[in-house]
Amino acid sequence: MGGPLHVAVLGLLADSYHHLGMYDEAITTLAKLRKSIGTEAAAVEDCIEFATVKSMFFKGDFDGALDRILALLEVPKIKTSPLSRTIIMNTQGIIKLVSLDTEDTTEEQLNRVIEILQEGANHLKDVDSGAASAAFNNLGVAIRFSKSVLLQSSGGNLAMDKFHTALEKAESSQQDQNSLLKGTIYSNMAQTLLDDQEIDDSSLKKASKYAKESMLIYQQGSSSSGISEPERKVGFGRALSLVAACYEKADSAILAEGLYQTSIENFSDRHPLSKISHAGILNYYAKLCKKWDKR
């Protein structure tokens, strides 16, 4: 068992590994931290377990993360803590969402994910915090994803409502660490509008505004504002691709192509979750090239 300083160093080291995208190292360090704290600090074990879930999730080990999060829901003190239970339920919902196979996903599966996230958001509807903002953002993502997979004509407005609520809560809580969350929300709002094949000029202007707001946040991002360098690069790349999509829909294809190419350069193989955004950008770019001869 290590002393207080040893425990503190392990905690900082695990957090640093996670923010650097070194998820295996973060998970290994968290396991060492769990052994070091001893049984007298059992209350900290749940925090360590949740941090482990987070690193497993970003690593792309969705099955392992889900097993651990479901086990946390059975911990007695979490069962009696509405906030802790809500945060874990939201985590459960988003893990289920990103682990779905798009080709084989059923409406029942998507509805179940939305139900889980809606329940979590309902518990936090009167709270202004980063957790509440994340809950509504995740719910909006699930609704937008469901609309896209099921090829539904409706759902965009409902998703935008959730994103607006998420943004309001992020701004009201006034936490420095909400910068990453706000950047994500702005990108989600832009993408939701751009998903509409019949987007009008008014909506296109809004999408462009949201995408540029997101890009600005990531340009100015730093570790003190809760944005690590891998997260900043991926977020900036995604925001830039959405700006490119706006130019494409405004018939500025040459400018759009240059922005797509620049945005792709921001993605790293060390960040498994970034592959989702990376694939989306490549899809946007492929559609642009398909419109041109000799591309």
Side-chain angles (χ1 to χ4, degrees):
M1 188 186 304
L5 181 60
H6 177 69
V7 169
V9 169
L10 284 177
L12 289 171
L13 185 60
D15 188 58
S16 297
Y17 278 139
H18 177 85
H19 284 293
L20 288 170
M22 301 169 69
Y23 304 115
D24 284 325
E25 291 85 348
I27 292 166
T28 300
T29 305
L30 287 166
K32 293 178 181 177
L33 177 59
R34 184 181 289 105
K35 290 181 180 179
S36 295
I37 60 173
T39 55
E40 71 277 6
V44 184
E45 287 189 7
D46 297 334
C47 296
I48 296 173
E49 186 67 5
F50 190 75
T52 303
V53 168
K54 184 179 178 182
S55 288
M56 292 176 74
F57 174 67
F58 276 83
K59 177 187 172 184
D61 182 3
F62 302 130
D63 289 340
L66 186 59
D67 286 344
R68 285 176 177 260
I69 209 71
L70 291 174
L72 274 174
L73 281 170
E74 298 303 314
V75 175
K77 61 177 175 290
I78 289 178
K79 281 186 174 182
T80 57
S81 170
L83 180 58
S84 296
R85 185 171 176 80
T86 297
I87 292 172
I88 290 175
M89 285 187 66
N90 285 328
T91 305
Q92 176 194 357
I94 205 66
I95 291 172
K96 283 180 174 288
L97 180 65
V98 299
S99 61
L100 290 174
D101 185 332
T102 305
E103 293 184 357
D104 298 324
T105 298
T106 65
E107 184 172 0
E108 182 180 359
Q109 287 176 313
L110 287 167
N111 287 340
R112 178 56 187 147
V113 169
I114 291 172
E115 285 175 7
I116 292 171
L117 292 171
Q118 182 69 69
E119 183 177 350
N122 286 344
H123 286 300
L124 298 174
K125 64 182 180 181
D126 297 322
V127 179
D128 289 331
S129 68
S133 178
F136 280 94
N137 176 64
N138 291 341
L139 178 56
V141 169
I143 293 170
R144 189 195 72 214
F145 182 75
S146 177
K147 175 181 180 293
S148 174
V149 171
L150 300 178
L151 302 177
Q152 298 169 329
S153 58
S154 61
N157 289 338
L158 181 57
M160 288 297 290
D161 286 343
K162 305 306 178 186
F163 292 137
H164 279 296
T165 300
L167 188 60
E168 289 170 3
K169 291 185 176 298
E171 291 177 339
S172 297
S173 65
Q174 297 181 339
Q175 296 174 334
D176 291 340
Q177 289 72 27
N178 283 347
S179 291
L180 174 61
L181 186 54
K182 288 169 66 177
T184 301
I185 295 168
Y186 275 123
S187 284
N188 286 337
M189 293 167 77
Q191 186 170 348
T192 301
L193 292 173
L194 289 167
D195 282 346
D196 186 353
Q197 298 301 315
E198 306 298 328
I199 189 171
D200 58 30
D201 288 343
S202 175
S203 294
L204 183 56
K205 288 179 181 178
K206 288 181 181 178
S208 178
K209 175 187 174 184
Y210 296 145
K212 289 175 181 177
E213 288 279 3
S214 178
M215 191 169 66
L216 183 62
I217 287 172
Y218 289 113
Q219 278 181 323
Q220 299 175 342
S222 64
S223 58
S224 63
S225 60
I227 303 178
S228 67
E229 184 57 18
E231 290 169 332
R232 191 196 68 77
K233 290 188 69 176
V234 170
F236 179 78
R238 182 189 178 202
L240 187 59
S241 76
L242 293 168
V243 173
C246 290
Y247 278 113
E248 179 188 347
K249 287 186 179 290
D251 297 323
S252 297
I254 295 177
L255 182 54
E257 182 182 30
L259 292 174
Y260 279 136
Q261 291 174 344
T262 303
S263 70
I264 289 169
E265 294 172 1
N266 283 271
F267 286 84
S268 165
D269 290 337
R270 289 195 63 83
H271 194 316
L273 272 184
S274 74
K275 292 179 181 178
I276 298 173
S277 294
H278 192 188
I281 294 172
L282 291 174
N283 186 47
Y284 275 138
Y285 188 20
K287 287 179 179 178
L288 173 66
C289 294
K290 193 175 182 181
K291 296 177 183 177
W292 290 355
D293 292 333
K294 300 179 182 180
R295 283 293 197 277

